[in-house]
Amino acid sequence: MTADILIRNVRPFGGEPTDLYIRDGWFAENPTQKPAIEIDGSGHIALPGLVEAHTHLDKTLVGMDWFENRVGPTRNDRILADRRAKQELGIDARRQSARQIMQTLAFGVMHIRSHVDVDTEIGIANIEGVIETRDRLKDLVDVQIVAFPQSGMLVREGTLALMEEALKAGADVVGGIDPASIDRDPVRHLDAIFALAERYQKPIDIHLHEPGDLGAFCLELILERTRALSLQGRVMVSHAYCLGMLDGQRQRSLIDALAAERIAVMTVGSPSAPALPLRILRQSGVVMASGSDGIQGTWEPWGNGDMLERAKYLAQRNGMTNDADLSDAANICTFGGAEGIGLTDYGLSAGCRGDLMLVKARTLAEAVALTPQNRTVIRRGRVVVRDGVMSEELRNVE
Amino acid sequence: MTADILIRNVRPFGGEPTDLYIRDGWFAENPTQKPAIEIDGSGHIALPGLVEAHTHLDKTLVGMDWFENRVGPTRNDRILADRRAKQELGIDARRQSARQIMQTLAFGVMHIRSHVDVDTEIGIANIEGVIETRDRLKDLVDVQIVAFPQSGMLVREGTLALMEEALKAGADVVGGIDPASIDRDPVRHLDAIFALAERYQKPIDIHLHEPGDLGAFCLELILERTRALSLQGRVMVSHAYCLGMLDGQRQRSLIDALAAERIAVMTVGSPSAPALPLRILRQSGVVMASGSDGIQGTWEPWGNGDMLERAKYLAQRNGMTNDADLSDAANICTFGGAEGIGLTDYGLSAGCRGDLMLVKARTLAEAVALTPQNRTVIRRGRVVVRDGVMSEELRNVE
């Protein structure tokens, strides 16, 4: 499946033209003998596999009937509508997760962290469905599954036990959600998920929509626990809107603390949520990742899962138009995301996993600004998408 | 060029399936005899020609070398960089405006209001270039040209005379820009452009980036002059960020006044600028239009000119996810824009101009959320784009 492959004349991350060589699924020094396959990269931009650091594979409606959204505007309206839809629409987590994975593979997304619902109505059925997909498609995409208490954990008796069951079943990450505004007890919520993470030796990823000072307080609690348990590099905070709502002094000191504890921050750059101070976060050394969040679901109808387009959204949300800033945004959707979700052997250098994506652009900035389609995607040395066309044997995967 | 044409089985604005008939370039009642051309609409969504109510046709770099953006962050940095680029890059307004028009025609954009720079360095050369394109391509697209003092009017001696020259040469609309923060004298700036509008019987379109209370004050000055000169329905304010920066009471009273004087508001829904209160504006009866602003220029590298995608951006900026809200966003990019820039005979009813666009979606909300490509575009009864393929004789137009 993974022949030796030489990709000629590509520009890694927009740099000088070079050749890339993959042997046995890993990038290697250029070959001394003629490789089995040669591809002409035509000077296109080469990026390592795009990193989708935050989505909900179990909830996408891709390929299903159009869902007419009549949902009210609050987060609670949406959580309720979402739980109802799971029942009424019969969303099959196994099939739907595969559909989204195959859709985003065509864009070059090869690493996905997905939150997957755990609640007292569906139990861990969605976790089991996505695990099946994760294992079945592991040659194409790396999937990390976060056991995610979408409907609340402490406020819904029995959810915590289900979270533990999810981890035993094979979930990769412990999830959390709004310890104060949803779960009504920030200390107990965080103590519970940090305890699970310790017991099962798993990383943590917490949805934190809490606003302003409430969010800052929750962040402090997360920082304290990360420090106390020496979980540096193992904790991600998703959304963290509060960072965009504090005054300069308070914002800076929290950001410095996040950098010190190596807590990663994931932002989707939503145009209607508070904007995170992207430049300050990056300059302060905070690991930044990004994601699509839900794609075509009951929460929001949009999203295609293209993490190169996501880099554009990040830049647009922050009013970044410089070529250097666009390159930075691309970094968040590749290396930043990889570090944030704890990937190893990631990149285009010899010794890294042989995953890459080619995009037809003259500069990296152009690739981000115009997000050209018809990409070429190579996974562990196997050409899975060529100029936008999915390899034939993969076309009916779902 | 415009044969009788029957388009079967389409859903106007997402409504019930019907047939549409165009005779001599105008929508008409269904034919009694067999029409010359029949098209199977396959139940797709039909929209009237998309309305691009705010762009800068003279500044796009579409089809030129990649412009490496190293421009600083302020509006003044950008104005300077833009003026320098016009000189150094040799942007040909005639050719570039045609390139953008042909690119956006493929999306179904058939009505464009473009601001075109007038300044003491280039004089009215750009106006003349875009006029040439406007007249040459009038069978494909309606273009309105705004004489636009991008670099300031009163602060750059001689610009006002050039504005007048532009109108004499054939510009359609009198432009203005930031009467206080750029032109340093809001009363004299507005008096001058309203006087020009009166003398040449032209509508007015003012770029108003002025923030908060300064913007509100400028809006009041615009309201007073619109009322005094009875220019209701003839004035548009572009951007109007201040409307998103005021407290509820002040915001409401200004919005009511705009509705009363029938002053239209154009917003691009930029993710990094203050969000306008879209729902309140629409509910209060303010005519809302939208546009792409600059496409691939020195100001910002992005933009493809797809006004259906723009409807999505408007919804996203306002956190609108309901099907009804998405339909409203589509309305802004069609009927709202048409009213805002003063089009007549616009729509899909008998008696309207025979312009329409077909998009492959199950509902209007899906069309907005996923913005499918490969559209069919019919202009005055002539099929100019079929399933995404531009009619052969139009492929090399520039």
Side-chain angles (χ1 to χ4, degrees):
Chain A
M1 202 168 92
T2 53
D4 285 8
I5 180 168
L6 182 68
I7 307 115
R8 290 201 185 278
N9 185 24
V10 295
R11 285 176 298 133
F13 237 76
E16 290 304 304
T18 185
D19 298 344
L20 293 173
Y21 178 57
I22 300 171
R23 189 174 51 216
D24 299 329
W26 299 79
F27 284 108
E29 300 300 335
N30 273 350
T32 46
Q33 291 189 319
K34 194 172 165 56
I37 300 174
E38 285 196 31
I39 287 186
D40 175 12
S42 305
H44 298 149
I45 309 293
L47 295 177
L50 298 171
V51 179
E52 166 62 83
H54 187 107
T55 188
H56 295 265
L57 287 174
D58 56 329
K59 304 205 226 201
T60 182
L61 304 175
V62 169
M64 294 177 63
D65 284 343
W66 181 251
F67 168 77
E68 188 185 344
N69 187 321
R70 298 167 180 267
V71 183
T74 72
R75 177 159 295 111
N76 216 39
D77 292 334
R78 294 180 181 192
I79 289 176
L80 286 171
D82 178 51
R83 211 160 59 229
R84 202 177 314 124
K86 266 186 294 201
Q87 307 268 351
E88 290 174 8
L89 302 178
I91 304 175
D92 175 344
R94 189 202 57 75
R95 180 194 65 204
Q96 291 306 110
S97 57
R99 283 183 179 168
Q100 178 173 330
I101 285 170
M102 295 310 292
Q103 174 171 309
T104 64
L105 179 62
F107 296 120
V109 173
M110 285 179 263
H111 313 280
I112 298 176
R113 173 176 282 188
S114 172
H115 298 257
V116 177
D117 286 5
V118 170
D119 71 43
T120 51
E121 286 174 16
I122 51 153
I124 66 161
N126 282 17
I127 295 273
E128 290 168 333
V130 182
I131 284 176
E132 208 181 315
T133 299
R134 177 193 69 187
D135 296 346
R136 186 164 52 97
L137 301 183
K138 69 179 190 311
D139 288 343
L140 299 172
V141 179
D142 304 309
V143 175
Q144 295 181 356
I145 295 172
V146 185
F148 176 50
Q150 169 79 76
S151 295
M153 190 173 72
L154 303 178
V155 290
R156 289 175 72 87
E157 182 74 36
T159 307
L160 185 56
L162 288 165
M163 295 274 291
E164 185 157 4
E165 218 183 292
L167 293 169
K168 284 181 185 161
D172 306 286
V173 183
V174 180
I177 186 168
D178 292 340
S181 61
I182 289 188
D183 235 14
R184 319 305 303 165
D185 189 338
V187 168
R188 273 214 310 142
H189 178 92
L190 292 172
D191 282 348
I193 65 175
F194 274 83
L196 273 184
E198 272 245 290
R199 195 167 328 132
Y200 290 87
Q201 292 290 303
K202 299 292 184 192
I204 290 174
D205 194 328
I206 303 168
H207 274 69
L208 194 72
H209 313 95
E210 321 270 23
D213 283 307
L214 181 60
F217 173 65
C218 291
L219 269 188
E220 287 166 353
L221 296 178
I222 293 168
L223 282 158
E224 290 162 10
R225 281 155 185 75
T226 304
R227 198 179 297 123
L229 299 171
S230 299
L231 288 175
Q232 290 82 0
R234 305 271 289 167
V235 178
M236 178 175 275
V237 178
S238 288
H239 304 306
Y241 297 141
C242 63
L243 290 174
M245 304 167 81
L246 302 168
D247 67 56
Q249 181 64 33
R250 182 120 167 81
Q251 186 191 64
R252 276 316 280 259
S253 72
L254 267 174
I255 287 175
D256 288 342
L258 290 169
E261 302 306 327
R262 293 197 287 121
I263 293 177
V265 172
M266 190 302 302
T267 179
V268 307
S270 162
S272 61
L276 268 56
L278 222 52
R279 275 202 203 85
I280 299 174
L281 281 158
R282 294 267 297 171
Q283 283 161 6
S284 307
V286 174
V287 175
M288 294 296 302
S290 188
S292 308
D293 215 336
I295 289 177
Q296 298 174 42
T298 64
W299 288 69
E300 294 192 321
W302 28 70
N304 55 20
D306 181 1
M307 289 301 299
L308 187 59
E309 186 177 87
R310 184 60 50 185
K312 178 177 79 170
Y313 291 155
L314 291 177
Q316 288 180 327
R317 182 67 179 109
N318 281 267
M320 293 168 16
T321 55
N322 253 291
D323 282 37
D325 284 332
L326 299 199
S327 167
D328 224 37
N331 208 296
I332 292 172
C333 297
T334 50
F335 290 96
E339 188 174 351
I341 68 171
L343 298 179
T344 51
D345 309 319
Y346 180 85
L348 298 174
S349 322
C352 296
R353 289 278 189 184
D355 302 336
L356 85 156
M357 181 267 271
L358 296 179
V359 56
K360 293 169 192 166
R362 293 167 289 185
T363 69
L364 180 56
E366 184 181 34
V368 172
L370 304 184
T371 60
Q373 298 305 307
N374 300 329
R375 302 177 194 161
T376 289
V377 180
I378 295 173
R379 167 76 173 178
R380 312 278 142 105
R382 172 188 179 195
V383 183
V384 291
V385 179
R386 185 72 190 264
D387 295 326
V389 181
M390 181 76 69
S391 150
E392 194 160 354
E393 75 277 14
L394 298 177
R395 276 178 219 166
N396 297 314
V397 172
E398 74 165 30
Chain B
M1 201 166 94
T2 53
D4 285 7
I5 180 168
L6 183 68
I7 307 113
R8 291 202 185 278
N9 186 23
V10 295
R11 285 177 297 135
F13 236 77
E16 289 304 306
T18 185
D19 297 343
L20 293 174
Y21 178 56
I22 301 171
R23 188 174 53 217
D24 299 329
W26 299 79
F27 284 108
E29 300 301 336
N30 272 350
T32 46
Q33 291 188 319
K34 194 172 163 57
I37 300 174
E38 285 195 31
I39 287 187
D40 175 11
S42 305
H44 298 150
I45 310 292
L47 295 178
L50 298 170
V51 180
E52 167 62 84
H54 187 108
T55 188
H56 296 265
L57 288 174
D58 57 328
K59 303 204 225 202
T60 182
L61 304 176
V62 169
M64 294 177 64
D65 284 343
W66 181 253
F67 169 77
E68 187 185 344
N69 187 321
R70 299 168 180 265
V71 183
T74 73
R75 177 158 295 112
N76 215 38
D77 291 334
R78 294 179 181 193
I79 290 176
L80 287 171
D82 178 52
R83 213 161 57 231
R84 201 178 315 124
K86 268 186 295 202
Q87 307 268 348
E88 289 173 9
L89 303 178
I91 304 175
D92 177 343
R94 189 202 56 75
R95 180 195 65 203
Q96 290 308 109
S97 56
R99 283 183 179 169
Q100 179 173 329
I101 286 170
M102 296 310 292
Q103 173 170 310
T104 64
L105 178 62
F107 295 120
V109 173
M110 286 180 264
H111 314 280
I112 297 175
R113 175 176 280 188
S114 173
H115 298 258
V116 177
D117 285 6
V118 171
D119 71 42
T120 50
E121 285 175 15
I122 51 151
I124 65 161
N126 282 17
I127 295 273
E128 290 169 333
V130 181
I131 285 176
E132 207 181 314
T133 300
R134 177 193 67 188
D135 296 347
R136 186 163 52 98
L137 302 182
K138 70 179 189 309
D139 289 342
L140 299 172
V141 179
D142 304 309
V143 176
Q144 296 181 356
I145 295 171
V146 185
F148 176 50
Q150 169 80 77
S151 296
M153 190 173 73
L154 302 176
V155 290
R156 289 175 72 87
E157 182 74 35
T159 307
L160 184 56
L162 288 165
M163 295 274 291
E164 185 157 4
E165 218 182 293
L167 293 168
K168 285 182 184 162
D172 306 286
V173 182
V174 180
I177 186 168
D178 293 339
S181 62
I182 288 187
D183 235 15
R184 318 306 304 167
D185 189 339
V187 168
R188 271 214 309 143
H189 179 93
L190 292 171
D191 282 348
I193 65 174
F194 274 83
L196 272 183
E198 272 245 289
R199 195 168 328 133
Y200 290 87
Q201 292 290 301
K202 299 292 184 194
I204 290 174
D205 194 328
I206 303 168
H207 274 68
L208 193 72
H209 312 96
E210 320 271 23
D213 283 308
L214 180 60
F217 174 66
C218 291
L219 268 188
E220 287 167 353
L221 296 177
I222 292 168
L223 281 159
E224 290 162 11
R225 280 154 186 76
T226 303
R227 198 179 298 123
L229 299 171
S230 298
L231 288 176
Q232 290 82 1
R234 305 271 288 167
V235 178
M236 178 175 274
V237 179
S238 288
H239 303 306
Y241 297 141
C242 62
L243 289 174
M245 304 167 82
L246 302 168
D247 66 57
Q249 182 63 35
R250 182 122 167 81
Q251 186 191 63
R252 277 314 282 259
S253 73
L254 267 174
I255 287 175
D256 288 342
L258 290 169
E261 301 307 327
R262 293 197 287 121
I263 293 177
V265 172
M266 191 302 301
T267 180
V268 307
S270 161
S272 62
L276 267 55
L278 221 53
R279 276 203 202 84
I280 299 174
L281 281 157
R282 294 267 297 170
Q283 283 161 6
S284 308
V286 174
V287 175
M288 293 296 302
S290 188
S292 308
D293 214 338
I295 289 176
Q296 298 174 42
T298 64
W299 288 69
E300 293 191 320
W302 28 70
N304 55 20
D306 180 1
M307 288 302 299
L308 187 59
E309 185 176 89
R310 184 60 51 184
K312 178 177 78 169
Y313 292 155
L314 291 177
Q316 288 180 326
R317 182 68 178 107
N318 281 267
M320 293 168 16
T321 55
N322 253 290
D323 281 39
D325 284 333
L326 300 199
S327 167
D328 224 38
N331 208 296
I332 293 173
C333 298
T334 50
F335 290 97
E339 188 173 351
I341 69 171
L343 297 180
T344 52
D345 309 318
Y346 179 87
L348 297 174
S349 323
C352 295
R353 289 279 190 184
D355 303 336
L356 84 156
M357 181 267 270
L358 297 180
V359 56
K360 292 168 193 167
R362 292 167 291 185
T363 70
L364 181 55
E366 185 181 33
V368 172
L370 304 184
T371 60
Q373 299 304 308
N374 300 330
R375 301 178 195 159
T376 289
V377 180
I378 296 174
R379 167 75 173 178
R380 310 280 141 103
R382 173 189 180 194
V383 183
V384 291
V385 179
R386 186 73 190 264
D387 295 326
V389 181
M390 181 75 69
S391 149
E392 194 161 352
E393 76 277 14
L394 298 177
R395 275 178 219 165
N396 298 313
V397 171
E398 74 165 32

